[in-house]
Amino acid sequence: MDNEVGFLQWSRGGTLMPRVLPLYVTKEKSRHGKIVFYFRIGKGERIRLLGVPGSREFKVAYQAALTGQHLAQPYQQEYARSLRWLIRQYMGSTDWESLGVATRKQRGLFYKQIVDASGEFDCRLVRDSDIREALKRRSKTPSLANNYLKAVRSLFKWARTNKHIEVDPTLGVERLKVATSDGFPIWTIEDIHDFMERWPVGTRERLALEILIASGLRRSDIALAGRQHMRDGIFSIKTAKTKTQVTMEFSNRVLEMIEQTETGDFAFIVGQNGRPMTKESFGNWFREACRAAGVSKSGHGLRKFSATLAADAGATTHELMAQFGWVTVQQAELYTKAADRSRLGKKTSRVIAEQIETVLTPHLIQGAGKNQKRQEKSKG
């Protein structure tokens, strides 16, 4: 009864799979390893039953088999609520189209796994325990497991909004904890100077560095950024990843850098052929420029450097969200909290130093305290 089939487990503690099967029903394992159910009275016709005992589609199929009816019509009705059907509907929606190409590609692979394993399972019967079990099976790669959760959460949120299910099974399911890691290493001031020394003003590489620091753009956005996004020194672009509009004012330094560099018609940074790059080609190109300067960092590390500068200067969480295109406060708070801790730590250390001066200094002055009294007594 505890047989597991990919995304789901058939066992529900007796809710969906009674220990005693209905009359005339037998359970078998298919050649694909799936548990299936058949109805047969004596030596009569052997009929495949849909779903699992306890589900609506099973009950419909069982009643039809008892009365000798054909199962084609019940099957078509219930099939329209399978996970395969739900995923197909979602991937044809405007919500799906609004996602970035890379996001659709990643989530599409997760959905294929679900369809291959449990495509005919009724989407209305999925429970939070199924989601947690799926995450548990992927716990060796927690980051991948959390991306899987994102994909499934997006699917069922859409399904709930569009009345395909009554309860979103992903609600209350928490992400797996990932061991803390700095991820892409942040640039240092020394890295910046090394890069500038290798790539002087007028080179495309130097312009890319200056814009990345000033804007904190992702590679998918800086690859498309151009003069069409500028007006009176104000730069504004809709980010490719989060679809949010970010607006910032470029300094005279950056504006002059743009004028002193050969740019493309529709992109500040172009390839050797004078045409805009893809985010992948930009990432590879900029990484090579870093290596040539002796810097083992990436463009994303510059984004972190830019966010750190802003937070250390006192930028608030929502100001960082507006600048860097984040849609949740968690990412921005990684920087504001670190900056606040640094400022508070320095402030507290100064308070402690002042208290030390107040409490200890009088005892460090010669002629004060018990030792001085002993010395005066010995002299008498």
Side-chain angles (χ1 to χ4, degrees):
M1 293 299 181
D2 293 328
N3 183 66
E4 183 180 301
V5 185
F7 175 65
L8 301 167
Q9 281 187 307
W10 295 129
S11 176
R12 304 262 187 238
T15 302
L16 294 182
M17 276 196 63
R19 293 184 179 180
V20 179
L21 293 174
L23 189 64
Y24 307 125
V25 175
T26 58
K27 179 185 71 172
E28 298 181 14
K29 180 179 289 188
S30 72
R31 59 190 178 89
H32 301 293
K34 294 184 178 181
I35 297 298
V36 294
F37 299 88
Y38 287 91
F39 176 95
R40 188 177 189 181
I41 300 178
K43 296 183 179 181
E45 182 182 2
R46 190 165 175 265
I47 303 172
R48 167 77 180 274
L49 300 178
L50 304 175
V52 295
S55 68
R56 181 184 173 188
E57 59 184 5
F58 183 92
K59 292 177 181 178
V60 171
Y62 182 68
Q63 289 299 322
L66 282 174
T67 57
Q69 298 177 12
H70 294 290
L71 301 179
Q73 186 61 27
Y75 177 85
Q76 293 173 357
Q77 291 176 350
E78 294 302 312
Y79 182 78
R81 296 294 180 177
S82 68
L83 284 167
R84 185 191 305 275
W85 173 86
L86 183 68
I87 289 172
R88 185 180 296 113
Q89 298 302 310
Y90 175 55
M91 295 179 74
S93 69
T94 55
D95 286 42
W96 175 259
E97 288 299 321
S98 68
L99 299 175
V101 175
T103 301
R104 293 201 302 268
K105 181 178 180 181
Q106 182 192 62
R107 294 184 181 180
L109 293 175
F110 289 136
Y111 297 151
K112 184 178 185 302
Q113 294 174 9
I114 295 173
V115 169
D116 289 344
S118 309
E120 313 314 325
F121 193 84
D122 193 327
C123 64
R124 296 165 294 185
L125 301 178
V126 180
R127 301 292 182 264
D128 56 356
S129 59
D130 300 318
I131 309 299
R132 291 190 178 91
E133 185 62 29
L135 291 181
K136 182 179 179 181
R137 292 196 300 274
R138 295 167 172 81
S139 59
K140 290 184 178 179
T141 53
S143 295
L144 185 66
N146 289 333
N147 286 333
Y148 174 88
L149 178 59
K150 282 185 181 179
V152 178
R153 198 186 298 280
S154 175
L155 170 67
F156 284 108
K157 180 181 179 181
W158 175 86
R160 175 70 179 84
T161 300
N162 289 273
K163 311 298 183 184
H164 297 310
I165 59 176
E166 294 183 1
V167 178
D168 183 347
T170 66
L171 294 178
V173 177
E174 297 182 355
R175 292 163 49 89
L176 298 184
K177 292 183 178 180
V178 181
T180 55
S181 171
D182 293 334
F184 292 96
I186 189 172
W187 286 53
T188 64
I189 294 297
E190 290 73 23
D191 293 330
I192 303 293
H193 289 164
D194 289 343
F195 193 97
M196 289 181 173
E197 184 176 345
R198 173 62 179 82
W199 302 107
V201 175
T203 62
R204 294 178 303 141
E205 292 80 359
R206 177 61 174 275
L207 179 60
L209 176 85
E210 298 280 350
I211 294 179
L212 283 170
I213 295 175
S215 65
L217 290 174
R218 298 182 180 88
R219 60 175 184 168
S220 56
D221 298 320
I222 192 173
L224 300 176
R227 297 179 186 275
Q228 68 273 18
H229 300 110
M230 296 285 299
R231 178 172 295 181
D232 299 327
I234 304 299
F235 176 86
S236 183
I237 190 172
K238 187 175 184 180
T239 61
K241 183 174 182 178
T242 61
K243 309 301 180 185
T244 57
Q245 197 77 22
V246 296
T247 302
M248 61 200 75
E249 184 176 5
F250 280 166
S251 65
N252 289 333
R253 173 191 176 91
V254 175
L255 295 177
E256 291 173 3
M257 199 78 65
I258 293 174
E259 295 304 321
Q260 296 176 52
T261 308
E262 183 177 355
T263 63
D265 294 331
F266 297 102
F268 293 132
I269 312 299
V270 293
Q272 292 292 347
N273 56 7
R275 303 173 67 177
M277 305 184 197
T278 64
K279 68 174 184 179
E280 291 81 10
S281 59
F282 174 86
N284 294 333
W285 169 79
F286 191 74
R287 192 177 296 107
E288 291 177 2
C290 294
R291 300 298 179 270
V295 179
S296 300
K297 305 288 175 64
S298 67
H300 195 84
L302 270 181
R303 177 174 166 85
K304 296 174 71 172
F305 177 80
S306 179
T308 301
L309 287 181
D312 288 345
T316 67
T317 296
H318 289 283
E319 287 171 340
L320 288 175
M321 291 173 64
Q323 167 84 25
F324 294 93
W326 294 316
V327 295
T328 61
V329 300
Q330 286 82 1
Q331 187 67 49
E333 285 182 343
L334 290 177
Y335 297 92
T336 55
K337 287 181 177 179
D340 289 342
R341 288 178 64 87
S342 177
R343 283 194 293 270
L344 291 173
K346 293 174 183 177
K347 180 179 179 181
T348 303
S349 65
R350 289 193 293 268
V351 171
I352 294 173
E354 291 174 358
Q355 292 299 309
I356 290 174
E357 290 291 329
T358 301
V359 175
L360 300 182
T361 298
H363 301 287
L364 299 177
I365 298 176
Q366 189 173 2
K370 295 180 179 180
N371 290 337
Q372 182 62 24
K373 292 181 179 180
R374 292 197 192 96
Q375 293 175 5
E376 292 176 351
K377 185 176 181 180
S378 63
K379 290 179 180 179

